[in-house]
Amino acid sequence: MRIAPSIFVLSLGAAALPAADPPVVAKPDAFPTLVNPQCSHCVDEAKRRAGELNASDPVLCWTRGYSDGGCIPIRFFLAQHRVISDSYGVFVYDPDAGYARGFAPGYTYRFRGWRNGVMVMTDTRDGTVYSCLSGVGVEGPKKGHRLKSIPTLTSTWGVWTQQYPHAVAYHMFDKYKPVELPKTENPDSVKTRLAKSDPRLKPDELVLGVRTGSKTRAYPLSQWHGLVKDELAGEPVVLLADGRSQTAAAFRPIARQPRKFLGPKPDKDGISLPDAGTLLPPGAKELPPRTVSLQLTGETVLDRETNSHWDVAGRSTAGECKGWTLEPVDGVVCKWFAWSAEYPDTEVYGQTKPPADPKKAMKEVAGAAEFLRLLPKPFGTVKAVDPKRGTVTLLLDGDKTPKVWPVEPDAEVKINGWWGRLEQFKPGDRAWVWLKLDRHKNPKSVAMIADEWSGQEIHAAAPTSRNESDARLAKQRDWLRTRWTSEGLPGTLSVNHVFGGELDVLLDHEAIRWGRSLTTGDKVQLVADEPIQAVVKHVSPWRERTVVRLVVGELAAADLAIGRRVFLKMPPLAKELDESHYPPDIGRTRTPAERAEWFLASIYCTCQIDKEICTGQFYTLSSCNPNGCGAPGAARKEVLKLIGQGKSDTEIWDELQSSRGPLMATPHLTK
């Protein structure tokens, strides 16, 4: 992780990671990966191996795409190979953790070993190691990146071929021999498990684990059947189960009309160009998506409005909507110990909150400063950018269609591990975003957007070269210095006392050093419709932002409305001050109480919070105050004690940094 000489360098490396990152037990030769096997169809393979395929044989099914998806008999393929890298998907089977699932196609993924009792695989292109359960990179250059999941579920050969006889299957050459499924746990898998499983459920209890955005919830299969309607991360979800094959899947209650999709036309890496499909029947008119209200009638999931029946794959099998499909949500049936290890913050359906764990030690009492946890934080691909309108078009991972998102005027924009501008994003770029919610918890706009490099830093994915990382950062810092010099520091007009000729400008987080270097009497320009000459009257911190009070000429700002976005032009801050160990406004005359608040508005939280999202780790420590966090109060008490001992601001700064470490001066964030 980068530790920058300047207190406000945005080192987006991880800070508060768990003390010991779970190790990977590597056994790459334990199971040979099957790459690009020849394809056929279920109806043909049922005849070819009629004497060996049983109706009760477990299968892994992908439920969307060409020929309504496909299925893989586990005894013939996945039991021996565990990972299949194919143009239809990357399919994995982990009997010890109780799941099988699929990710986006590719030829380059290979079985690697286990971590947290969960299988992992390696992408041979760059060496990144991914969890086979969550799809999240756990080691390597793309650590923290999440593979795109494809909708899959487990079923049985008899159930699936009865419902989808023309689904894709692998050509079952004689070399593919059935084997018995494992009856005992793999010792290499077992020894990587956490010492103690989450006590909310039994370790081996099967759950449907569901993820939307940054929110996860586990639904114990023993506690429901057929249908569950719920809300997760502010959006409705429906869970469908099939008692015949003991399987379940998650969807949004939004149905789209049937389409026919092409078979894969893979490149050398097994990846095909996107296919939007053609409507069925041929010549059909494009219709808007339908919101369906499902209910369980006996063993049938029914939408009474259209008299449509739905199966566990989220496809209507009868009625007005026959052939229509529900939007899949990322979900997988697995054992509780595995899901809770991958998602320790997961909720459990029917439980209000996890029991307190008194053994969790924190360096300081951290309270409840975690409102960033509420925000959805998806990855996606940039499709278009409109800086003038302040919008970005994103295809979020898991979505089928791009969406235009307004970007908050004061959104945090991260480029190359530093602040940047929306215009620096280009179509095709990968991005990580935080979505702002309305009062009903519906995503409405982008509050933070980071390019792929910054996202990797935030998620503690070490770049391929530290020198390259430092060069990127330096280049972006110089770029933004030039931008600040020509355009000014971005901010919002918060007060306009027209008759008194005074204005308050609330500068954005990125302006924290330059803005706070200003002093009373400095001459600046306020840039709105046209430049307005101004003199600085007062400068004060407000959390990670900076309030600059200006005096302007008579009626010069009379037409500026409160809330207006403006720029504050000032002479460039000397580079040695910009990169100094100390803040530029340290040591100014303040009361003891003002000095303490200045420290809270100038440092970042270093609490050792296990897999928490602490507001003060990304914004300054003072931003924890509204949520009752104990860390700001403890820091305030410590600073006031040092002030009472007669110590100067620089002495206090050095003492705090000595005890708290360099992260005190560096914005950081765990995932």
Side-chain angles (χ1 to χ4, degrees):
M1 181 183 61
R2 177 188 308 111
I3 301 300
S6 167
I7 71 161
F8 299 114
V9 168
L10 184 60
S11 168
L12 293 176
L17 289 174
D21 217 14
V24 170
V25 172
K27 293 284 180 105
D29 297 328
F31 299 99
T33 298
L34 182 61
V35 180
N36 193 27
Q38 186 171 324
C39 290
S40 177
H41 290 86
C42 290
V43 65
D44 298 319
E45 299 312 305
K47 299 173 183 176
R48 193 188 314 276
R49 302 294 279 269
E52 296 172 281
L53 273 168
N54 303 318
S56 60
D57 265 331
V59 293
L60 172 61
C61 313
W62 65 97
T63 61
R64 299 290 185 269
Y66 169 71
S67 202
D68 288 339
C71 80
I72 305 168
I74 291 176
R75 286 197 307 126
F76 288 80
F77 295 96
L78 284 164
Q80 300 179 69
H81 296 286
R82 299 297 173 91
V83 176
I84 297 177
S85 284
D86 189 28
S87 57
Y88 282 100
V90 177
F91 303 107
V92 299
Y93 170 58
D94 185 351
D96 301 295
Y99 70 91
R101 69 169 312 174
F103 298 98
Y107 292 157
T108 60
Y109 296 88
R110 302 292 184 270
F111 174 86
R112 176 69 176 174
W114 295 269
R115 173 185 179 271
N116 277 343
V118 173
M119 263 176 35
V120 294
M121 59 185 176
T122 302
D123 185 348
T124 58
R125 291 174 295 183
D126 61 9
T128 300
V129 178
Y130 292 94
S131 163
C132 291
L133 178 57
S134 66
V136 172
V138 297
E139 287 184 0
K142 289 189 176 179
K143 183 177 180 181
H145 172 73
R146 187 186 298 273
L147 297 176
K148 182 179 180 181
S149 63
I150 61 174
T152 53
L153 52 79
T154 54
S155 185
T156 61
W157 177 257
V159 169
W160 204 254
T161 54
Q162 180 183 11
Q163 188 70 35
Y164 299 106
H166 297 287
V168 172
Y170 291 135
H171 188 111
M172 301 180 74
F173 293 105
D174 291 341
K175 63 181 179 179
Y176 298 123
K177 304 295 183 183
V179 298
E180 292 303 314
L181 300 183
K183 292 187 169 106
T184 59
E185 295 175 325
N186 188 296
D188 289 319
S189 171
V190 172
K191 71 183 181 182
T192 69
R193 294 184 187 179
L194 298 176
K196 185 178 179 181
S197 177
D198 189 313
R200 287 178 284 172
L201 297 172
K202 294 180 180 179
D204 288 342
E205 183 162 1
L206 288 179
V207 300
L208 173 60
V210 180
R211 180 185 69 87
T212 61
S214 62
K215 198 84 167 178
T216 58
R217 187 170 294 153
Y219 298 82
L221 296 190
S222 62
Q223 297 179 18
W224 63 283
H225 75 281
L227 172 69
V228 165
K229 294 193 283 187
D230 199 11
E231 183 177 286
L232 188 59
E235 62 176 309
V237 294
V238 293
L239 315 181
L240 304 181
D242 184 351
R244 297 175 299 168
S245 53
Q246 293 296 302
T247 191
F251 305 91
R252 295 179 182 88
I254 300 173
R256 300 181 186 276
Q257 63 197 111
R259 291 177 181 271
K260 180 180 180 180
F261 296 92
L262 299 173
K265 294 183 179 179
D267 62 14
K268 63 180 180 62
D269 291 325
I271 301 171
S272 301
L273 292 175
D275 175 25
T278 56
L279 291 175
L280 291 175
K285 179 183 177 182
E286 183 82 46
L287 300 174
R290 295 183 176 183
T291 298
V292 295
S293 180
L294 304 181
Q295 57 183 352
L296 189 63
T297 303
E299 295 298 320
T300 301
V301 176
L302 181 68
D303 171 30
R304 287 199 177 278
E305 183 178 346
T306 60
N307 195 33
S308 299
H309 297 210
W310 300 84
D311 68 8
V312 71
R315 182 176 281 105
S316 177
T317 59
E320 183 181 331
C321 289
K322 184 176 181 179
W324 287 54
T325 54
L326 301 178
E327 289 187 3
V329 172
D330 188 13
V332 59
V333 172
C334 63
K335 293 180 180 179
W336 167 245
F337 84 81
W339 181 261
S340 59
E342 292 289 283
Y343 299 104
D345 294 326
T346 188
E347 299 174 351
V348 176
Y349 180 64
Q351 296 187 17
T352 55
K353 62 179 180 180
D357 184 354
K359 295 183 179 180
K360 280 192 175 181
M362 292 186 291
K363 189 173 181 180
E364 297 187 86
V365 180
E370 74 274 333
F371 67 77
L372 291 183
R373 182 199 304 275
L374 297 176
L375 304 184
K377 303 178 183 68
F379 289 87
T381 301
V382 176
K383 294 298 183 181
V385 177
D386 190 338
K388 290 184 178 180
R389 294 187 177 182
T391 62
V392 59
T393 304
L394 297 168
L395 178 59
L396 299 179
D397 290 358
D399 288 353
K400 293 183 178 180
T401 57
K403 180 178 177 180
V404 179
W405 291 92
V407 179
E408 289 293 309
D410 59 349
E412 299 264 343
V413 178
K414 307 293 188 282
I415 301 289
N416 288 326
W418 189 245
W419 285 285
R421 293 291 180 267
L422 192 60
E423 68 199 53
Q424 293 183 273
F425 285 90
K426 306 299 179 188
D429 287 351
R430 290 285 295 168
W432 185 47
V433 295
W434 296 353
L435 300 178
K436 185 175 180 179
L437 303 177
D438 61 21
R439 62 183 298 183
H440 302 295
K441 297 184 179 180
N442 297 314
K444 56 175 288 189
S445 59
V446 172
M448 193 283 290
I449 180 169
D451 68 353
E452 186 169 23
W453 189 273
S454 301
Q456 288 177 6
E457 293 270 29
I458 289 175
H459 288 86
T464 54
S465 165
R466 188 74 265 165
N467 290 335
E468 181 182 357
S469 179
D470 290 340
R472 283 173 175 260
L473 174 65
K475 183 178 179 181
Q476 182 62 20
R477 291 190 68 187
D478 288 342
W479 183 91
L480 197 55
R481 279 179 61 91
T482 301
R483 186 66 170 260
W484 284 339
T485 301
S486 62
E487 181 181 74
L489 308 175
T492 302
L493 186 64
S494 58
V495 174
N496 184 3
H497 198 294
V498 176
F499 303 110
E502 291 187 356
L503 310 170
D504 279 2
V505 177
L506 186 64
L507 296 177
D508 292 353
H509 188 185
E510 67 179 58
I512 193 168
R513 285 195 73 90
W514 280 38
R516 293 185 188 180
S517 73
L518 293 168
T519 60
T520 301
D522 284 347
K523 294 181 179 180
V524 295
Q525 279 188 342
L526 184 69
V527 181
D529 298 318
E530 57 184 32
I532 299 172
Q533 302 302 319
V535 176
V536 175
K537 183 175 181 179
H538 181 70
V539 179
S540 61
W542 186 78
R543 302 180 186 175
E544 61 283 343
R545 305 196 181 200
T546 306
V547 179
V548 181
R549 179 159 296 172
L550 303 174
V551 178
V552 300
E554 186 178 76
L555 299 180
D559 295 332
L560 299 185
I562 302 300
R564 169 75 182 269
R565 291 291 289 174
V566 295
F567 293 90
L568 188 69
K569 289 189 69 172
M570 59 174 286
L573 182 63
K575 206 159 188 178
E576 59 270 21
L577 291 178
D578 203 1
E579 299 176 355
S580 171
H581 171 72
Y582 299 108
D585 56 338
I586 196 169
R588 292 184 182 175
T589 301
R590 301 179 178 95
T591 67
E594 288 172 341
R595 288 173 67 187
E597 297 311 309
W598 175 86
F599 273 98
L600 263 64
S602 302
I603 64 177
Y604 298 87
C605 182
T606 58
C607 291
Q608 294 178 352
I609 304 173
D610 185 20
K611 297 185 180 178
E612 295 275 344
I613 295 176
C614 177
T615 304
Q617 291 176 349
F618 196 75
Y619 301 116
T620 56
L621 190 59
S622 57
S623 283
C624 294
N625 280 343
N627 297 281
C629 178
R636 185 181 293 105
K637 183 177 179 180
E638 183 180 5
V639 170
L640 286 171
K641 180 179 178 181
L642 295 173
I643 290 173
Q645 295 172 359
K647 295 191 176 184
S648 67
D649 284 355
T650 53
E651 289 172 330
I652 295 172
W653 186 272
D654 289 341
E655 188 162 335
L656 291 176
Q657 195 157 58
S658 176
S659 63
R660 294 165 180 255
L663 290 174
M664 179 194 84
T666 310
H668 56 287
L669 187 68
T670 56
K671 65 182 178 180

